Amino acid sequence: MSSLRTLVFFATPAHSCSYLPDRDATTMFVDPRARVDKRLYSQLTALGFRRSGSHYYRPHCEHCNACVPVRLDTRAFRPDRSQRRVWKRNQDVTFRLVPARFSERYYQLYAHYINERHADGDMYPPSRDQFQSFLVEGATDSWFLEITLDDELIGLAVVDVLDDGLSAIYTIFHPDYDDRSLGTLAILWQVQEARERGLPWVYLGYWISESRKMNYKTRFRPIEALLDGTWQAFDPNTRDR
């Protein structure tokens, strides 16, 4: 089994940034041949890495530090008025946590979501192979949170269990239920689940001040950011842009 001391890292050539279209990006990733268990995955996450399928990566851009890893303190979190409304509005939905796997039912929701919400992104057009490689492969204590309404699957959140928290990998939802704020609902559920497991953190990935798609992450407080190699309390309003 690999360890932090034995891992080999690679960097990609510069490529167009997925979030800031006027910039180039470089990504550092773990050697795909490495055997990453839950302990090592947890250590990598604490260092700002994320998982995409079998790949563990983090931004490594020479002249840009816009991507800020953030995590939510589950012990101190208190939902604001808007988040309480989301929870109350969705009292009629059902949650079920199941092992991460491919199913046609999941894929159809995923394809509909990508086609309707991300047709301008690098995941368009969707495919079954893409779903498998992005959300199923490389699973290490990885789960799908099914969100159903009257037996209809309206949301699906990919959740990894770490030694010190949950990692919110990705959430998809049926665009017809946009008014239910299912992305926010999925994070609220993960906070509750982490508390029940005695885990202090929900890792939310990267926050980018110039990306409107990332704004929802800092609506959850208190939040910490990995800055200069240290996790510290974070106020996005004071972040230099």
Side-chain angles (χ1 to χ4, degrees):
M1 190 61 60
S2 302
S3 69
L4 280 179
R5 289 187 296 177
T6 62
L7 281 181
V8 175
F9 298 90
F10 297 95
T12 66
H15 54 276
S16 296
C17 179
S18 300
Y19 298 104
L20 303 175
D22 59 333
R23 304 187 194 181
D24 285 337
T26 301
T27 304
M28 176 188 292
F29 63 95
V30 174
D31 184 345
R33 295 169 296 182
R35 296 179 60 193
V36 178
D37 61 5
K38 182 177 176 180
R39 179 172 180 271
L40 181 54
Y41 179 21
S42 300
Q43 293 172 330
L44 287 167
T45 302
L47 293 172
F49 282 78
R50 295 287 286 171
R51 182 179 73 84
S52 176
S54 300
H55 301 288
Y56 300 85
Y57 71 94
R58 65 169 297 170
H60 190 62
C61 306
E62 185 176 359
H63 301 294
C64 178
N65 60 354
C67 294
V68 180
V70 291
R71 66 185 186 183
L72 176 62
D73 186 341
T74 65
R75 299 157 297 187
F77 172 73
R78 298 294 181 272
D80 62 20
R81 181 180 300 178
S82 175
Q83 291 158 354
R84 290 195 297 271
R85 285 200 298 266
V86 170
W87 192 259
K88 185 176 181 179
R89 188 185 310 140
N90 288 284
Q91 289 300 296
D92 54 347
V93 307
T94 300
F95 301 98
R96 187 169 77 114
L97 200 63
V98 298
R101 62 180 179 85
F102 178 88
S103 82
E104 188 63 22
R105 185 186 187 205
Y106 298 154
Y107 172 71
Q108 290 301 324
L109 178 64
Y110 172 81
H112 190 40
Y113 174 75
I114 297 298
N115 285 328
E116 292 294 324
R117 298 299 296 268
H118 295 288
D120 59 344
D122 54 13
M123 291 189 294
Y124 180 86
S127 70
R128 290 169 178 79
D129 287 344
Q130 179 195 70
F131 179 95
Q132 179 76 19
S133 63
F134 176 36
L135 300 179
V136 178
E137 290 180 3
T140 302
D141 206 347
S142 303
W143 303 81
F144 284 172
L145 172 65
E146 296 178 350
I147 305 175
T148 57
L149 177 66
D150 298 328
D151 295 326
E152 179 186 4
L153 182 68
I154 63 173
L156 190 71
V158 185
V159 184
D160 286 355
V161 181
L162 307 173
D163 289 341
D164 64 347
L166 301 181
S167 181
I169 299 296
Y170 200 66
T171 301
I172 59 178
F173 55 86
H174 197 297
D176 288 353
Y177 296 92
D178 191 48
D179 61 331
R180 285 179 172 264
S181 302
L182 296 176
T184 294
L185 180 68
I187 294 177
L188 293 172
W189 184 92
Q190 288 175 70
V191 171
Q192 178 176 282
E193 179 71 10
R195 283 176 172 170
E196 291 178 0
R197 293 172 180 251
L199 300 173
W201 309 109
V202 172
Y203 290 87
L204 298 176
Y206 303 114
W207 174 81
I208 303 171
S209 65
E210 298 175 52
S211 174
R212 295 180 61 185
K213 294 179 180 179
M214 300 292 188
N215 288 345
Y216 74 93
K217 297 183 181 184
T218 51
R219 297 189 191 118
F220 294 86
R221 306 287 182 91
I223 202 165
E224 287 193 353
L226 185 61
L227 300 170
D228 300 321
T230 303
W231 287 101
Q232 51 193 278
F234 182 60
D235 182 353
N237 295 320
T238 64
R239 170 77 173 171
D240 291 332
R241 300 187 177 223

